[in-house]
Amino acid sequence: MKTARPRKYLFLFLAAATVGLALYNNILARRALTGRPLGRFVHIGGTKLHFLEAGDGQPLLLLHGNGASAEDFTTSGIFDRAAPRYRVLAFDRPGFGMSTRPAGRPWTAAAQADLIDAAVAKLGIERYMVVCHSWGATVALEMARRHPRSVAGVVVVAGYHYPSPRLALAVSAVPAVPLLGTVLRHAVLPSLVRLNWNWGRVWRPRSCQGGSVRSLMEMSPGAARWYTP
């Protein structure tokens, strides 16, 4: 009995600390989101997708990688430079930025590809090009494979084309574990990120070089080509 009581108090303390951290992180997250450039939302399949939109012309979708959001393309300058020639839509993928990610289903690249294609169709867009970065390339290539009539072309920027078994992937999958993942996402991981905030400056996006932006702007659906080995 004497041993069980300290353990009980320790458990209660850890539970209270976890709840407190989760509430504190939630408040900070809400404050951060209030400063974001709010775009539009499209509801599809029980998911609320947030996206930024500007410009007219040929539709151009921008898909970010992991640990990022649609703002990757605004801070880098691609979004604003593409807008004069394209109808640009930069999506927050499910679970990133301001887009929701309902639990209870596997959010594979194929699932995200189908969801985003359906969202674009709901916006009245029948055919579009995609610019993708990192893990967003996996989603974009699935979109091209599964919806060839919709995808006019894909521009891959440092894409993660061929998923392979890696320790980093196994670690990043832990937050998806029921209950344990909830605690990690809302209480533990945000606090760890703030402790190492200065390291985040290493990954801060830099402005695009003029040549790279011009190459992107000069692309058109007719210029896109598919190559197979």
Side-chain angles (χ1 to χ4, degrees):
M1 295 293 294
K2 292 183 179 180
T3 305
R5 183 168 295 179
R7 290 181 179 177
K8 177 182 178 181
Y9 290 149
L10 177 61
F11 175 79
L12 291 175
F13 171 77
L14 291 176
T18 300
V19 172
L21 274 176
L23 292 174
Y24 177 67
N25 291 329
N26 183 265
I27 293 173
L28 293 182
R30 289 179 178 274
R31 288 179 180 175
L33 289 177
T34 56
R36 286 197 66 190
L38 184 64
R40 296 172 56 192
F41 290 92
V42 57
H43 296 259
I44 191 81
T47 305
K48 184 171 69 172
L49 288 179
H50 173 256
F51 65 97
L52 305 174
E53 182 178 11
D56 296 304
Q58 171 72 19
L60 177 67
L61 272 60
L62 306 178
L63 295 182
H64 62 83
N66 277 354
S69 69
E71 286 184 87
D72 261 15
F73 297 103
T74 59
T75 55
S76 65
I78 290 179
F79 185 87
D80 290 335
R81 295 198 181 211
R85 290 192 57 183
Y86 298 91
R87 179 185 176 184
V88 188
L89 300 98
F91 278 88
D92 284 336
R93 293 194 292 109
F96 296 90
M98 301 181 72
S99 292
T100 61
R101 186 184 179 110
R105 67 172 106 167
W107 284 102
T108 61
Q112 295 185 44
D114 291 344
L115 181 73
I116 295 174
D117 181 76
V120 173
K122 190 173 182 179
L123 295 173
I125 298 174
E126 297 180 355
R127 194 158 173 79
Y128 52 84
M129 294 180 62
V130 186
V131 173
C132 51
H133 173 244
S134 187
W135 208 87
T138 307
V139 178
L141 294 177
E142 277 292 327
M143 293 173 72
R145 185 178 71 87
R146 299 168 70 87
H147 307 283
R149 294 185 178 181
S150 300
V151 180
V154 176
V155 179
V156 178
V157 182
Y160 184 50
H161 306 88
Y162 304 103
S164 56
R166 295 191 304 177
L167 178 60
L169 292 179
V171 173
S172 64
V174 175
V177 177
L179 187 58
L180 174 61
T182 301
V183 173
L184 288 174
R185 292 195 308 272
H186 293 278
V188 179
L189 294 180
S191 303
L192 291 178
V193 169
R194 282 196 299 275
L195 288 175
N196 294 279
W197 187 250
N198 288 335
W199 289 98
R201 296 179 181 177
V202 176
W203 308 106
R204 182 172 297 169
R206 295 185 299 177
S207 298
C208 285
Q209 300 299 317
S212 301
V213 175
R214 281 195 299 272
S215 298
L216 173 62
M217 296 303 99
E218 290 168 359
M219 286 204 62
S220 65
R225 295 290 185 272
W226 292 100
Y227 294 93
T228 55

